[in-house]
Amino acid sequence: MRILVVDDEESILVPLEFLLRKAGHEVVLARTGEEALKALDQEAFDLMVLDLMLPGLDGFAVLERAKALPQRPKVLVLTARGREADRAKALALGAEAFMAKPFATQDLLAQVERLAGR
């Protein structure tokens, strides 16, 4: 599966990239909302793992703009913003799943596999 991981924290990006590659996925990284939208315009992804708190365009804005894409990937929101209102808003904007940081790696992999339809 091709996965776009969007987060501005290297301490999250690097381990996520390693974990997902080890699980057999192709991974592309984006550190801002703008980078994410550019990647989505240029390539097709099966899944986007998206943080809500990003510099510039936040994750909500990325979700909103991604809805209009002809090949919108499934979205797993992975964020430190774990409030119920944030979850509800992300799901209303089209996210298929929502996980709060900190997270267990096995839970994340289970969500990725679920979204992949496995």
Side-chain angles (χ1 to χ4, degrees):
M1 196 162 62
R2 286 182 45 80
I3 302 174
L4 175 62
V5 178
V6 187
D7 202 302
D8 63 327
E9 296 179 45
E10 288 295 316
S11 63
I12 297 290
L13 276 178
V14 173
L16 271 181
E17 180 181 24
F18 177 79
L19 180 71
L20 294 169
R21 285 187 191 279
K22 187 175 178 186
H25 303 290
E26 184 179 339
V27 179
V28 174
L29 303 177
R31 289 164 178 81
T32 67
E34 291 83 357
E35 283 182 22
L37 291 175
K38 185 177 179 181
L40 289 167
D41 278 341
Q42 295 175 348
E43 304 177 56
F45 295 93
D46 302 300
L47 176 67
M48 176 169 51
V49 178
L50 177 65
D51 186 15
L52 294 178
M53 296 186 294
L54 299 168
L57 287 177
D58 69 7
F60 291 125
V62 172
L63 269 171
E64 183 69 39
R65 292 186 186 183
K67 284 195 312 188
L69 296 173
Q71 295 183 21
R72 187 187 79 80
K74 292 180 180 177
V75 178
L76 165 60
V77 171
L78 181 64
T79 184
R81 292 178 63 162
R83 295 184 356 236
E84 185 61 33
D86 294 323
R87 176 187 303 269
K89 184 175 180 179
L91 295 173
L93 288 172
E96 282 76 17
F98 187 101
M99 290 184 70
K101 295 176 187 175
F103 59 93
T105 57
Q106 292 306 313
D107 290 345
L108 177 80
L109 287 175
Q111 285 285 4
V112 168
E113 295 303 316
R114 181 184 69 80
L115 292 170
R118 298 182 189 151

